[in-house]
Protein backbone atom coordinates (compact mmCIF):
# COMPACT_ATOMS: atom_id res chain seq x y z
CA UNK A 1 0.00 0.00 0.00
CA UNK A 2 1.26 3.43 -0.96
CA UNK A 3 1.50 6.32 1.52
CA UNK A 4 -0.49 8.49 -0.87
CA UNK A 5 -3.39 6.07 -0.74
CA UNK A 6 -3.79 6.47 3.02
CA UNK A 7 -6.59 8.72 4.21
CA UNK A 8 -5.26 11.84 5.88
CA UNK A 9 -7.12 14.38 7.92
CA UNK A 10 -7.37 17.62 5.93
CA UNK A 11 -5.19 20.38 7.36
CA UNK A 12 -8.20 22.69 7.63
CA UNK A 13 -9.84 20.24 10.03
CA UNK A 14 -6.94 20.39 12.45
CA UNK A 15 -7.45 22.81 15.28
CA UNK A 16 -5.03 24.41 17.70
CA UNK A 17 -7.72 24.62 20.37
CA UNK A 18 -6.63 21.30 21.81
CA UNK A 19 -3.01 22.43 22.07
CA UNK A 20 -3.65 25.87 23.59
CA UNK A 21 -2.85 26.29 27.23
CA UNK A 22 -5.49 26.91 29.80
CA UNK A 23 -5.48 30.52 30.99
CA UNK A 24 -4.54 30.84 34.66
CA UNK A 25 -7.22 31.98 37.05
CA UNK A 26 -7.39 35.71 37.72
CA UNK A 27 -9.95 37.69 39.69
CA UNK A 28 -12.65 39.11 37.44
CA UNK A 29 -12.52 42.78 36.57
CA UNK A 30 -15.20 44.84 38.27
CA UNK A 31 -15.61 46.78 35.03
CA UNK A 32 -16.42 43.84 32.77
CA UNK A 33 -19.00 44.78 30.17
CA UNK A 34 -20.79 43.00 27.36
CA UNK A 35 -19.41 43.57 23.86
CA UNK A 36 -20.63 46.80 22.27
CA UNK A 37 -23.09 46.47 19.38
CA UNK A 38 -21.81 47.24 15.89
CA UNK A 39 -21.42 50.97 15.31
CA UNK A 40 -21.22 51.81 19.04
CA UNK A 41 -18.54 52.25 21.70
CA UNK A 42 -19.04 51.65 25.43
CA UNK A 43 -17.80 54.05 28.11
CA UNK A 44 -18.16 54.09 31.88
CA UNK A 45 -19.72 57.36 33.07
CA UNK A 46 -19.42 58.68 36.63
CA UNK A 47 -22.85 58.95 38.24
CA UNK A 48 -21.73 59.53 41.83
CA UNK A 49 -18.62 60.42 43.81
CA UNK A 50 -18.18 59.41 47.43
CA UNK A 51 -21.88 58.61 47.70
CA UNK A 52 -22.97 61.99 46.30
CA UNK A 53 -24.83 62.05 42.97
CA UNK A 54 -22.91 63.71 40.14
CA UNK A 55 -25.87 64.80 38.05
CA UNK A 56 -23.87 67.55 36.33
CA UNK A 57 -21.41 65.05 34.82
CA UNK A 58 -24.07 62.49 33.92
CA UNK A 59 -26.39 65.02 32.30
CA UNK A 60 -23.49 66.52 30.31
CA UNK A 61 -22.59 63.07 28.94
CA UNK A 62 -26.21 62.31 28.05
CA UNK A 63 -26.42 65.64 26.16
CA UNK A 64 -23.23 64.70 24.28
CA UNK A 65 -24.99 61.65 22.85
CA UNK A 66 -24.37 58.86 25.36
CA UNK A 67 -27.21 56.45 26.14
CA UNK A 68 -27.30 54.30 29.29
CA UNK A 69 -27.06 50.54 28.69
CA UNK A 70 -29.75 48.37 30.27
CA UNK A 71 -28.99 44.77 31.15
CA UNK A 72 -30.85 42.04 29.27
CA UNK A 73 -32.61 39.38 31.31
CA UNK A 74 -29.86 36.78 30.72
CA UNK A 75 -26.87 39.06 31.37
CA UNK A 76 -24.64 38.35 34.33
CA UNK A 77 -23.29 41.88 34.55
CA UNK A 78 -23.82 43.99 37.69
CA UNK A 79 -26.94 46.10 37.46
CA UNK A 80 -28.45 48.85 39.56
CA UNK A 81 -31.25 47.23 41.57
CA UNK A 82 -33.26 50.27 42.66
CA UNK A 83 -33.66 53.98 42.13
CA UNK A 84 -33.98 55.91 38.90
CA UNK A 85 -31.20 53.89 37.19
CA UNK A 86 -32.78 50.51 37.97
CA UNK A 87 -31.81 47.90 35.35
CA UNK A 88 -28.81 49.86 34.05
CA UNK A 89 -25.41 48.15 34.10
CA UNK A 90 -23.39 49.89 36.80
CA UNK A 91 -20.59 49.40 39.32
CA UNK A 92 -19.48 51.60 42.20
CA UNK A 93 -20.90 54.92 41.03
CA UNK A 94 -20.21 54.25 37.34
CA UNK A 95 -22.87 53.57 34.72
CA UNK A 96 -22.24 51.88 31.38
CA UNK A 97 -23.22 54.02 28.40
CA UNK A 98 -22.99 53.60 24.64
CA UNK A 99 -22.29 56.22 22.01
CA UNK A 100 -22.30 55.93 18.20
CA UNK A 101 -18.80 55.61 16.69
CA UNK A 102 -19.35 58.59 14.37
CA UNK A 103 -19.95 60.84 17.40
CA UNK A 104 -16.74 59.49 19.00
CA UNK A 105 -14.79 60.38 15.84
CA UNK A 106 -16.42 63.84 15.67
CA UNK A 107 -15.55 64.49 19.35
CA UNK A 108 -11.94 63.42 18.77
CA UNK A 109 -11.66 65.71 15.74
CA UNK A 110 -13.21 68.60 17.70
CA UNK A 111 -10.81 68.27 20.65
CA UNK A 112 -7.81 67.77 18.33
CA UNK A 113 -8.73 71.03 16.60
CA UNK A 114 -9.08 72.74 19.99
CA UNK A 115 -5.57 71.56 20.91
CA UNK A 116 -4.09 72.78 17.62
CA UNK A 117 -5.78 76.17 18.02
CA UNK A 118 -4.40 76.56 21.56
CA UNK A 119 -0.88 75.55 20.49
CA UNK A 120 -1.03 78.04 17.62
CA UNK A 121 -2.24 80.79 19.96
CA UNK A 122 0.64 80.08 22.37
CA UNK A 123 3.15 80.15 19.50
CA UNK A 124 1.77 83.45 18.19
CA UNK A 125 1.80 84.95 21.69
CA UNK A 126 5.40 83.85 22.18
CA UNK A 127 6.47 85.31 18.82
CA UNK A 128 4.74 88.59 19.71
CA UNK A 129 6.91 88.87 22.84
CA UNK A 130 10.25 88.29 21.10
CA UNK A 131 12.92 90.97 21.04
CA UNK A 132 14.62 91.90 17.73
CA UNK A 133 18.05 91.19 19.20
CA UNK A 134 16.94 87.70 20.32
CA UNK A 135 14.54 86.24 17.75
CA UNK A 136 12.68 83.04 18.57
CA UNK A 137 12.53 80.37 15.92
CA UNK A 138 10.50 77.18 15.90
CA UNK A 139 13.43 74.78 16.50
CA UNK A 140 14.26 76.70 19.69
CA UNK A 141 10.84 75.94 21.17
CA UNK A 142 11.49 72.61 22.79
CA UNK A 143 11.99 71.39 26.29
CA UNK A 144 14.20 68.70 27.67
CA UNK A 145 13.99 66.93 31.00
CA UNK A 146 17.26 65.84 32.58
CA UNK A 147 17.99 64.15 35.85
CA UNK A 148 21.55 65.37 36.36
CA UNK A 149 24.75 63.94 35.01
CA UNK A 150 26.09 64.31 31.49
CA UNK A 151 23.89 64.02 28.46
CA UNK A 152 24.77 60.79 26.68
CA UNK A 153 24.69 60.65 22.90
Amino acid sequence: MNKLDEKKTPRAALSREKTTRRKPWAPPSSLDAPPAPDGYKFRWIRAETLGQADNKNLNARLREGFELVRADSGDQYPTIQDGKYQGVIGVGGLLLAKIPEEIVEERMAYFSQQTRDKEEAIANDLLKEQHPSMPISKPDRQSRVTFGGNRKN
Side-chain angles (χ1 to χ4, degrees):
M1 184 172 192
N2 192 345
K3 284 190 175 184
L4 296 175
D5 295 336
E6 292 179 24
K7 297 262 182 181
K8 289 187 175 182
T9 306
R11 187 161 178 86
L14 297 175
S15 173
R16 291 186 55 113
E17 289 180 20
K18 295 175 186 172
T19 61
T20 58
R21 286 184 166 179
R22 186 183 73 79
K23 292 182 182 178
W25 181 89
S29 169
S30 60
L31 295 180
D32 281 341
D38 289 339
Y40 285 90
K41 297 267 187 188
F42 278 165
R43 297 286 186 266
W44 290 99
I45 297 177
R46 185 181 66 242
E48 64 180 47
T49 303
L50 299 173
Q52 299 293 321
D54 191 357
N55 291 327
K56 181 179 178 185
N57 180 62
L58 185 60
N59 290 333
R61 300 297 164 251
L62 294 176
R63 285 192 308 271
E64 287 178 3
F66 285 92
E67 301 172 33
L68 298 178
V69 177
R70 297 201 166 275
D72 293 334
S73 58
D75 285 344
Q76 296 181 6
Y77 299 101
T79 59
I80 307 298
Q81 299 299 320
D82 54 359
K84 69 180 186 177
Y85 302 117
Q86 183 176 358
V88 174
I89 296 176
V91 174
L94 300 174
L95 301 176
L96 187 65
K98 66 180 179 178
I99 187 167
E101 288 179 350
E102 56 267 9
I103 293 178
V104 171
E105 292 167 7
E106 291 168 0
R107 288 180 78 235
M108 288 176 54
Y110 172 81
F111 287 115
S112 294
Q113 184 62 44
Q114 291 284 314
T115 302
R116 284 192 296 275
D117 291 347
K118 288 178 183 179
E119 289 173 351
E120 185 179 334
I122 291 169
N124 290 338
D125 194 38
L126 182 63
L127 293 174
K128 186 171 47 174
E129 299 295 327
Q130 75 179 340
H131 192 271
S133 65
M134 296 182 67
I136 300 172
S137 63
K138 284 196 176 192
D140 292 341
R141 294 182 320 158
Q142 61 182 350
S143 63
R144 204 174 276 131
V145 177
T146 60
F147 294 101
N150 293 338
R151 190 171 154 214
K152 297 178 183 177
N153 290 336

